[in-house]
Amino acid sequence: MATEEASLCALESLMTEFFHSCTTNERKREIEELLNTFASQAGSWRHCLYFLSHSRNEYVMMYSLTVFENLVNKMWVGVASEEKAELRSCLPKLLLSQHAVLPFFIRNKLCKVIVDIGRQDWPMFYHDFFSNTLQLVQTPAMMSLGLVLLKMTSEELVCPREDLSVARKEELRKLLLEQIPTVLNLLTGILETVWEKHSGSATTPPPSPTSGESAVVMGSESGALCSLALECLAHLFSWIPLSSSITPALLASIFHFARFGCQLPIKAKSTTATSNGDTTTTTVGDTLPANGGTGLPRGVQQVGQSERARLGVLAMNCINELMCKNCVPLDFEEFLLRISQQTFFLLQKLTNTNSHSNTNTNTHTVKNRLQELDESYLEKFTDFLRLFVSVHLRRIESNAQFPLVEFLALLFKYTFNQPTHEGYLACLDIWSIFLDYMTTKIRSRLADSDSVLNRYKDALVLLLREVLNRIQFRLNQSQLEELDDETLDDDKQTEWQRYLRQSLEVVAKVMELLPSQTFSTLFPVLQEDLDIYLGLQQFIVTTGTSRRLNITAEADCRKLHCALRDLSSLLQAVGRLAEFFTGDVFTARSSDALAIVQRLVEVTCYGSQISLYDVETAVPSVLKPDLIDVHAQSLAALQAYSHWLAQFCSEVQRQQDQTRFVSLITSSMAATTPLISAKVPEKLLLSACHLLVSMATTVRPVFLVSLPAVQNVFNLITENHNHQLPHEAHVLVCRALSTMLLLPWLCLPESEQQWPSRSTSHSRLLSALTQHYRLLPRPPAYHHNNKAVMQQTLSVLRDLVESISGESTKSRQICYQSLQESVQVSLALFPLYIQQPEITDEMLSFFLTLFQALRVQMGVAFTEQIIQTFLSMFTREQLAISILQEGSAGSKVVQKFLKILQVVVQEPGHTFKPLLPSILSLCMEQVYPIVAERSCPDVKAEMFELLFQILHQNWRFFFKSSVLSSVQRVGAGEQMENEAQFTAAMQAFGQSFLQPDIHIFKQNLSYLEILNTKHKLYHKKLFQSSMLFHFINVLLQVLLHKSHDLLQDDITVAVYNMAAVNFHTFYSSFLPEFLNGCQGLDPHQRATLARNFTPERDLPSFTQSVYRLVNDLRYYRLCNGSLPPGTLKL
């Protein structure tokens, strides 16, 4: 005893020293080694049992429990049966005797150790483990402890780690499922008992939400008990299937507690002590006890509002776990109806507009009510509504007992009284789900679509109006100004942009269902703000060269600010709806669309004519951005109707009356082209450029290039070299001018396309754009402007080629003719700039685009010349310099070069086949040795894609298959060529599976699978004889090491496909050989693993066998590693 006391004192001293702030890291390592040495000694757990019983030092207790945890989870197999029995007896006794005084985290750790023992030994050696837990749950004084153990049992036994065999995991789940009815009955009893004790009316139906609000006052002990029971239920519901064990009584009890989250903070309420405990029911309006107390018995602490809210949150967790189960048996329709009705009641309660004084109030009361409720509860309730609508609405909609329209009315009230923007957007998501459901339903039931729509028409129109109201500053300025409109999120949008986008998506979904109502609702609101905007001209005062907006009163400026912000938003809404005027509905809705486009053209012309963007204002930091944004959004909205304009163009050509169309295009260009200037704010400039591009690429009017406004842009770009547009705008304008000349005009025959004159014009355009580039000195003479000229010209040319990559052969021919001299210049310049990676990168990007879009036009000879030039420049030394600067411009150059080679090897036919040996040599002998043992993820990914494309697109370079062998799908008669290169490529793929980069692993595994699907790679004789089992072995080892667990399914499918080549050989030869090569197993375990891998040939069964093999092999190794040295294995 004295020795143990001394050991305890020494341990306490060490632990205190270890956690002392003055202890050095070196001393901490020494102490850690001492503690680990002590823990690894046989029988150390006996000392720890003494420490745990006699110390109140939290560090000592935690260390002792860690020793127990390690013993149970890692060494249990090697512990003597007598010691196991002693532990199964001592630890529960210790828990029962000290649970009340132990810190909660120590108590929980001790509970987990006991549950871990149960996971190993129940029911064979620890037969009373679960019955003891249930007994504790039924003992009032021990109920909390029992619930903690019960929840841990659910967590640890249902989702165990790898320290159990698959058979044991399945056994535990089956054993627990047998106990579920008993467990759920016990938990139902606890919740019902507490509720009855505190309300006295558990058997009566819940009160109407419109009646006076009743509240339940609960003691803290009862509250804690219910929290534990609800937590336990939530975890059980996460894995048990829906069954009759989930009774109406249990559901009712959970919803009772879900109502706690709906209750406002208790302020002045009376309570009366009961004869047996700690609560009473009170109703608002009762008077407080004379002494101002709670009415609870002395010594009983009342549950506070945060604890009540937490009970509501926990109850909602339980309900959500049930709601997310998509697989609902047919006989559970009644179950769903009951949940739906309870949902309806909760939603009524949350949106109840009656005040505490029983006087009528306006709808702001709902928002105030929601603001006072716990934020977490509202989040959980919104999650619940999302699950209800997305998963179960289709099941419950047709049930006459559920008032769906009334439910939508309550959801509407709940949505538009949300206290936070995030809560409101989450509710909009629910409406989007509902609208998607409605759209799908109507498309599948076209015969009675009107009757379906009429049922919800009023609700949808109301939704549309309110969503439009919520994006308007004149109605919600203070709330909308709170939204950040500067910081970009991961999706490159601000908080305000996300808010507006989600709102407009709802508007668009309503438009799809109710087009005329949406149009008639939106257009008047837009017109109201347009009238203000179009009336601004009268307030512009000109003084000399400056112009000023003569609106200075604070109220007028605020009104103008709101009107402009709203006009900007509504213009975006109009643009978003453009898709609903094209296609099959073009004719039916053409008058509405024409009215919109005419109005948009009018607005853009107005903005450009009076140049509101450079007018001085009273509040320049606010109003100037507003004016610019409205102008930009009007251009963007008009751009959105470019597809409608293209269809309108085709229509008027058939009618041979183009007056209105010509007028629209002419006016829109007159509004657009003056904005293409360096003096215009960039936001507005870019909107104008994008509109010009859409007119050129989508609408393609025959007369566009001849318009004076467009000719001015040609002159600006080709003659005025000092225009200095920002780079992005310059590229867009060049693209628009090029595509005007290159793309065929719509609805005109080839004979009327005027290709000769357009080709001449395009050559002149390109000549002007590349003039400085083509005159660059060779060899390069330093000039600070040379680099900028090269980079800008090459990026423009690349963009021009990309823009016509998918167009007709004639367009591409003309483009290449105009580019030919610049391409020759680029090839000549390339070797001179090989040491300047920024320029080389731009050049290779240009050549890559050329190869992707114009390789046919370039011709074989010139293409081969380009590739040979590149191959000669990229020596191994040059590649090493570039690649080893990871993430640098040099590394990007190599990536672009490899991409170019990918395009070349994918070319069908024999055109570039002579280049294959050189490309393979570069890939395997120059690039691969540099990247093989290094990270270099970007270069490595491109190199392996090149290797894959060589194999995939040039399979006959390696396998000269005959027609007969192709039909028979056998490898016996295959003719193999270039075997060494093929083997090297396969080895490179295999080596990549031994490295940690999960992206390369996933990519290469998919490449092998594609090669097998398309070319029967795994069936090839060479692969079968010398590679197949090596690949399977590597993939199984990856699964065993759990290094790429995210790809577990992909790896298993690949192993199956490889094994499927010859299942007999796999089961009879590979599997025994693989198991014999696995270290850390005894013969009996190997035999068991082989026996459990059932020789099935379907993928699901094979997958299960692989999972069992990997799990059980790891388990056996863990067990064997925990055995004491010298243990005799039978």
Side-chain angles (χ1 to χ4, degrees):
M1 184 65 72
T3 306
E4 288 187 328
E5 286 178 5
S7 298
L8 177 56
C9 290
L11 180 59
E12 287 178 345
S13 175
L14 278 175
M15 297 304 289
T16 304
E17 181 184 358
F18 184 87
F19 288 101
H20 197 278
S21 59
C22 297
T23 307
T24 65
N25 287 337
E26 186 177 349
R27 176 57 181 157
K28 285 186 176 184
R29 279 193 293 273
E30 290 175 6
I31 296 172
E32 197 170 358
E33 287 176 12
L34 278 171
L35 295 174
N36 289 338
T37 302
F38 174 77
S40 62
Q41 292 175 358
S44 60
W45 66 268
R46 294 187 184 277
H47 298 284
C48 290
L49 191 60
Y50 177 84
F51 301 155
L52 202 55
S53 306
H54 293 80
S55 176
R56 283 295 163 262
N57 184 308
E58 292 177 357
Y59 298 138
V60 169
M61 288 192 283
M62 188 56 80
Y63 168 74
S64 302
L65 287 169
T66 303
V67 172
F68 281 121
E69 191 173 41
N70 189 61
L71 178 74
V72 175
N73 290 330
K74 296 183 178 178
M75 302 161 64
W76 196 244
V77 176
V79 177
S81 57
E82 304 82 23
E83 294 183 0
K84 289 181 181 179
E86 194 173 343
L87 281 166
R88 290 194 294 262
S89 172
C90 293
L91 290 179
K93 286 178 182 175
L94 183 66
L95 177 66
L96 292 177
S97 62
Q98 298 198 18
H99 74 95
V101 296
L102 289 173
F104 78 93
F105 61 94
I106 299 290
R107 180 206 67 186
N108 288 355
K109 185 85 166 177
L110 180 53
C111 286
K112 185 180 178 302
V113 171
I114 293 170
V115 171
D116 286 343
I117 295 174
R119 189 175 70 233
Q120 299 282 354
D121 289 358
W122 177 64
M124 181 69 74
F125 303 108
Y126 194 178
H127 60 87
D128 56 354
F129 162 70
F130 203 80
S131 57
N132 286 349
T133 301
L134 294 183
Q135 189 63 45
L136 290 176
V137 173
Q138 296 172 77
T139 306
M142 297 289 187
M143 199 175 286
S144 295
L145 181 61
L147 290 172
V148 170
L149 282 164
L150 188 58
K151 180 174 175 247
M152 280 190 185
T153 300
S154 175
E155 293 169 343
E156 298 298 326
L157 272 62
V158 173
C159 309
R161 296 180 302 279
E162 63 204 26
D163 57 348
L164 293 180
S165 67
V166 170
R168 176 61 176 160
K169 290 178 182 178
E170 292 171 351
E171 180 190 19
L172 284 174
R173 178 177 280 266
K174 182 180 177 184
L175 287 167
L176 274 181
L177 277 173
E178 290 172 359
Q179 300 292 333
I180 288 303
T182 305
V183 170
L184 293 184
N185 281 337
L186 283 175
L187 294 173
T188 305
I190 291 170
L191 295 177
E192 282 184 339
T193 301
V194 172
W195 187 262
E196 287 174 10
K197 178 180 172 186
H198 292 18
S199 69
S201 58
T203 55
T204 60
S208 164
T210 56
S211 66
E213 184 176 322
S214 71
V216 176
V217 180
M218 183 179 293
S220 58
E221 188 177 331
S222 296
L225 202 62
C226 291
S227 293
L228 287 169
L230 291 168
E231 285 176 3
C232 195
L233 277 171
H235 193 272
L236 290 169
F237 288 163
S238 70
W239 64 271
I240 65 173
L242 291 177
S243 70
S244 56
S245 301
I246 305 173
T247 61
L250 176 56
L251 276 181
S253 295
I254 294 171
F255 271 100
H256 278 316
F257 287 95
R259 286 164 53 194
F260 273 18
C262 305
Q263 292 178 358
L264 295 175
I266 300 171
K267 294 173 184 174
K269 301 187 179 183
S270 71
T271 51
T272 310
T274 59
S275 59
N276 61 346
D278 53 358
T279 75
T280 66
T281 304
T282 66
T283 305
V284 174
D286 290 351
T287 57
L288 284 168
N291 61 1
T294 65
L296 294 172
R298 290 186 184 279
V300 175
Q301 190 174 356
Q302 181 181 338
V303 167
Q305 177 59 21
S306 62
E307 287 80 7
R308 294 165 62 79
R310 183 169 183 270
L311 283 171
V313 170
L314 292 173
M316 289 309 305
N317 278 342
C318 295
I319 298 165
N320 287 350
E321 287 291 353
L322 291 173
M323 294 300 290
C324 68
K325 294 182 186 294
N326 202 359
C327 183
V328 180
L330 283 176
D331 55 349
F332 264 69
E333 294 295 330
E334 188 66 27
F335 167 86
L336 272 179
L337 178 62
R338 192 171 287 109
I339 286 187
S340 306
Q341 289 168 336
Q342 294 277 17
T343 305
F344 188 80
F345 168 73
L346 282 179
L347 203 47
Q348 278 183 306
K349 194 168 176 62
L350 280 168
T351 55
N352 177 18
T353 54
N354 279 3
S355 71
H356 289 235
S357 58
N358 292 325
T359 59
N360 290 328
T361 58
N362 59 29
T363 54
H364 289 296
T365 308
V366 180
K367 188 165 189 175
N368 293 339
R369 178 190 182 88
L370 294 179
Q371 273 177 328
E372 291 187 48
L373 296 178
D374 183 82
E375 191 175 331
S376 298
Y377 182 80
L378 287 181
E379 286 177 12
K380 291 292 179 187
F381 194 82
T382 303
D383 288 343
F384 167 64
L385 291 173
R386 183 186 295 106
L387 288 167
F388 177 74
V389 172
S390 62
V391 181
H392 301 293
L393 183 66
R394 58 191 168 83
R395 296 185 174 101
I396 208 72
E397 183 197 11
S398 57
N399 195 311
Q401 296 181 58
F402 183 71
L404 186 57
V405 175
E406 290 83 353
F407 168 78
L408 291 177
L410 292 174
L411 178 59
F412 178 88
K413 196 186 291 188
Y414 179 77
T415 299
F416 294 104
N417 285 286
Q418 283 295 309
T420 65
H421 293 299
E422 287 300 323
Y424 171 66
L425 293 179
C427 289
L428 280 191
D429 278 343
I430 299 173
W431 283 105
S432 290
I433 293 167
F434 173 72
L435 291 167
D436 287 340
Y437 165 73
M438 287 294 303
T439 304
T440 304
K441 182 176 180 179
I442 285 169
R443 284 174 182 167
S444 64
R445 291 173 56 179
L446 292 175
D448 61 342
S449 59
D450 289 343
S451 63
V452 173
L453 259 180
N454 287 335
R455 184 181 182 191
Y456 303 108
K457 183 176 177 181
D458 293 343
L460 296 183
V461 171
L462 204 58
L463 171 70
L464 171 70
R465 285 179 180 157
E466 194 58 36
V467 169
L468 286 174
N469 287 344
R470 285 308 179 97
I471 62 173
Q472 294 182 62
F473 277 76
R474 65 187 178 90
L475 301 174
N476 304 280
Q477 184 182 3
S478 60
Q479 295 94 324
L480 295 179
E481 294 283 10
E482 293 173 4
L483 293 167
D484 176 19
D485 198 18
E486 294 180 0
T487 309
L488 296 176
D489 61 15
D490 293 339
D491 297 322
K492 304 298 181 188
Q493 55 184 1
T494 64
E495 190 179 18
W496 158 249
Q497 288 169 342
R498 185 165 72 94
Y499 179 91
L500 182 61
R501 181 184 58 78
Q502 283 192 240
S503 300
L504 295 186
E505 284 306 306
V506 172
V507 172
K509 289 176 192 292
V510 176
M511 173 77 179
E512 191 168 1
L513 293 167
L514 301 170
S516 59
Q517 289 88 343
T518 304
F519 185 75
S520 59
T521 301
L522 176 62
F523 213 67
V525 184
L526 174 68
Q527 188 60 48
E528 193 176 333
D529 291 321
L530 274 176
D531 290 341
I532 295 174
Y533 179 65
L534 296 173
L536 289 178
Q537 189 170 9
Q538 62 186 306
F539 296 103
I540 296 176
V541 177
T542 305
T543 308
T545 56
S546 67
R547 298 184 307 142
R548 182 170 52 83
L549 189 65
N550 193 24
I551 297 177
T552 56
E554 184 180 346
D556 291 340
C557 287
R558 183 181 295 111
K559 182 180 178 183
L560 178 59
H561 167 62
C562 291
L564 292 173
R565 289 296 300 263
D566 292 346
L567 180 55
S568 174
S569 300
L570 293 169
L571 285 169
Q572 290 181 62
V574 169
R576 176 63 185 85
L577 302 182
E579 65 178 274
F580 301 109
F581 294 98
T582 56
D584 296 338
V585 297
F586 174 82
T587 304
R589 300 176 188 171
S590 60
S591 57
D592 286 343
L594 183 60
I596 291 174
V597 173
Q598 287 174 333
R599 200 69 168 134
L600 289 174
V601 170
E602 178 190 348
V603 174
T604 54
C605 288
Y606 169 82
S608 297
Q609 285 164 5
I610 65 173
S611 305
L612 282 169
Y613 58 84
D614 65 359
V615 172
E616 294 177 9
T617 63
V619 196
S621 63
V622 175
L623 293 180
K624 188 162 186 174
D626 290 345
L627 290 166
I628 292 170
D629 195 46
V630 167
H631 199 168
Q633 294 300 344
S634 66
L635 292 164
L638 184 55
Q639 181 196 355
Y641 283 83
S642 56
H643 289 282
W644 182 86
L645 281 167
Q647 203 165 348
F648 186 52
C649 173
S650 303
E651 192 69 24
V652 296
Q653 278 184 338
R654 279 199 296 274
Q655 297 171 2
Q656 297 185 338
D657 178 13
Q658 299 192 38
T659 310
R660 284 185 300 182
F661 177 71
V662 171
S663 173
L664 286 173
I665 300 298
T666 305
S667 299
S668 64
M669 288 298 96
T672 303
T673 55
L675 301 174
I676 299 175
S677 164
K679 298 176 183 178
V680 174
E682 190 168 2
K683 183 175 187 176
L684 188 52
L685 168 62
L686 290 176
S687 283
C689 293
H690 281 293
L691 177 56
L692 185 63
V693 168
S694 289
M695 287 293 177
T697 57
T698 305
V699 186
R700 305 187 196 181
V702 174
F703 56 87
L704 183 62
V705 75
S706 62
L707 291 175
V710 176
Q711 284 297 316
N712 289 339
V713 180
F714 269 99
N715 295 336
L716 173 74
I717 294 297
T718 58
E719 295 175 13
N720 181 7
H721 294 297
N722 297 316
H723 62 269
Q724 292 299 315
L725 286 178
H727 180 67
E728 185 181 353
H730 178 71
V731 170
L732 287 169
V733 172
C734 292
R735 185 198 304 170
L737 300 180
S738 174
T739 49
M740 282 181 206
L741 299 169
L742 290 179
L743 298 187
W745 293 319
L746 303 174
C747 302
L748 282 182
E750 189 73 10
S751 58
E752 297 179 28
Q753 292 291 341
Q754 302 177 24
W755 287 125
S757 62
R758 294 169 75 183
S759 176
T760 304
S761 299
H762 193 265
S763 291
R764 281 202 304 270
L765 172 67
L766 266 291
S767 179
L769 290 176
T770 61
Q771 180 182 356
H772 293 302
Y773 178 68
R774 289 180 288 108
L775 296 177
L776 284 171
R778 283 174 262 169
Y782 175 76
H783 188 279
H784 69 277
N785 201 35
N786 285 359
K787 186 175 179 180
V789 167
M790 293 184 76
Q791 290 180 319
Q792 173 158 322
T793 306
L794 286 167
S795 64
V796 167
L797 295 181
R798 185 177 77 249
D799 184 79
L800 297 189
V801 175
E802 279 179 354
S803 67
I804 55 95
S805 62
E807 298 299 333
S808 66
T809 303
K810 190 67 179 177
S811 299
R812 286 182 286 166
Q813 282 175 347
I814 294 172
C815 183
Y816 183 65
Q817 286 168 10
S818 304
L819 276 172
Q820 203 160 3
E821 187 180 351
S822 297
V823 175
Q824 296 278 7
V825 168
S826 301
L827 188 61
L829 288 173
F830 182 78
L832 306 178
Y833 287 91
I834 190 69
Q835 301 300 331
Q836 298 186 39
E838 292 86 359
I839 293 177
T840 315
D841 181 40
E842 201 66 62
M843 281 189 168
L844 284 176
S845 296
F846 171 54
F847 276 109
L848 174 61
T849 308
L850 273 177
F851 274 92
Q852 289 170 332
L854 302 177
R855 60 185 177 277
V856 174
Q857 286 70 33
M858 288 162 64
V860 177
F862 186 50
T863 303
E864 196 167 335
Q865 181 189 342
I866 295 172
I867 295 299
Q868 292 293 4
T869 302
F870 290 165
L871 288 171
S872 65
M873 295 309 302
F874 283 105
T875 61
R876 182 159 182 172
E877 293 73 22
Q878 182 62 44
L879 286 167
I881 292 169
S882 300
I883 291 172
L884 296 179
Q885 298 172 350
E886 194 172 322
S888 67
S891 178
K892 291 177 183 174
V893 165
V894 178
Q895 291 173 51
K896 297 278 172 56
F897 176 45
L898 294 172
K899 280 181 178 290
I900 289 173
L901 296 179
Q902 290 166 22
V903 175
V904 171
V905 300
Q906 288 181 71
E907 185 64 24
H910 297 280
T911 310
F912 301 119
K913 292 298 180 280
L915 293 173
L916 274 180
S918 302
I919 295 173
L920 256 175
S921 173
L922 173 106
C923 194
M924 296 309 304
E925 295 171 20
Q926 292 179 232
V927 178
Y928 180 65
I930 300 170
V931 302
E933 298 301 328
R934 295 182 176 87
S935 176
C936 311
D938 298 329
V939 174
K940 198 178 284 188
E942 297 301 342
M943 188 215 74
F944 276 113
E945 180 164 353
L946 173 58
L947 206 52
F948 163 70
Q949 294 296 353
I950 291 172
L951 292 162
H952 180 38
Q953 304 293 344
N954 304 276
W955 193 250
R956 290 174 64 84
F957 182 74
F958 303 99
F959 296 94
K960 294 285 186 184
S961 58
S962 65
V963 175
L964 180 61
S965 64
S966 297
V967 172
Q968 292 176 340
R969 291 190 173 182
V970 295
E974 67 194 15
Q975 301 174 36
M976 184 82 193
E977 293 186 358
N978 302 298
E979 182 176 329
Q981 289 93 327
F982 178 80
T983 303
M986 288 297 108
Q987 285 173 344
F989 277 108
Q991 188 67 25
S992 71
F993 296 143
L994 300 173
Q995 295 174 346
D997 192 317
I998 193 167
H999 301 291
I1000 298 292
F1001 191 108
K1002 181 181 176 66
Q1003 169 190 285
N1004 288 356
L1005 192 64
S1006 71
Y1007 288 161
L1008 289 184
E1009 289 288 275
I1010 292 169
L1011 290 175
N1012 184 55
T1013 303
K1014 301 290 185 182
H1015 307 290
K1016 294 294 176 184
L1017 168 66
Y1018 304 156
H1019 296 257
K1020 295 302 175 185
K1021 185 177 179 181
L1022 176 64
F1023 193 90
Q1024 282 194 62
S1025 62
S1026 60
M1027 302 177 196
L1028 182 63
F1029 285 167
H1030 290 296
F1031 272 100
I1032 297 178
N1033 184 64
V1034 167
L1035 294 177
L1036 287 178
Q1037 293 294 348
V1038 169
L1039 290 174
L1040 281 169
H1041 287 97
K1042 299 177 80 73
S1043 55
H1044 296 72
D1045 258 11
L1046 288 173
L1047 304 178
Q1048 185 177 347
D1049 293 341
D1050 296 337
I1051 294 170
T1052 307
V1053 170
V1055 170
Y1056 171 79
N1057 288 330
M1058 291 179 187
V1061 172
N1062 191 328
F1063 274 123
H1064 175 73
T1065 306
F1066 174 81
Y1067 287 117
S1068 63
S1069 177
F1070 170 77
L1071 197 55
E1073 188 179 322
F1074 173 77
L1075 291 173
N1076 286 332
C1078 289
Q1079 302 298 313
L1081 299 176
D1082 62 38
H1084 174 71
Q1085 290 167 339
R1086 288 190 176 93
T1088 303
L1089 290 170
R1091 185 171 61 253
N1092 287 341
F1093 204 117
T1094 54
E1096 302 292 345
R1097 300 194 172 199
D1098 61 286
L1099 178 58
S1101 301
F1102 188 89
T1103 301
Q1104 285 298 314
S1105 292
V1106 170
Y1107 168 70
R1108 180 186 288 267
L1109 173 73
V1110 170
N1111 182 90
D1112 290 0
L1113 203 157
R1114 288 177 62 85
Y1115 168 64
Y1116 288 148
R1117 282 177 171 171
L1118 182 70
C1119 291
N1120 295 342
S1122 68
L1123 292 173
T1127 302
L1128 180 64
K1129 298 180 188 176
L1130 300 177

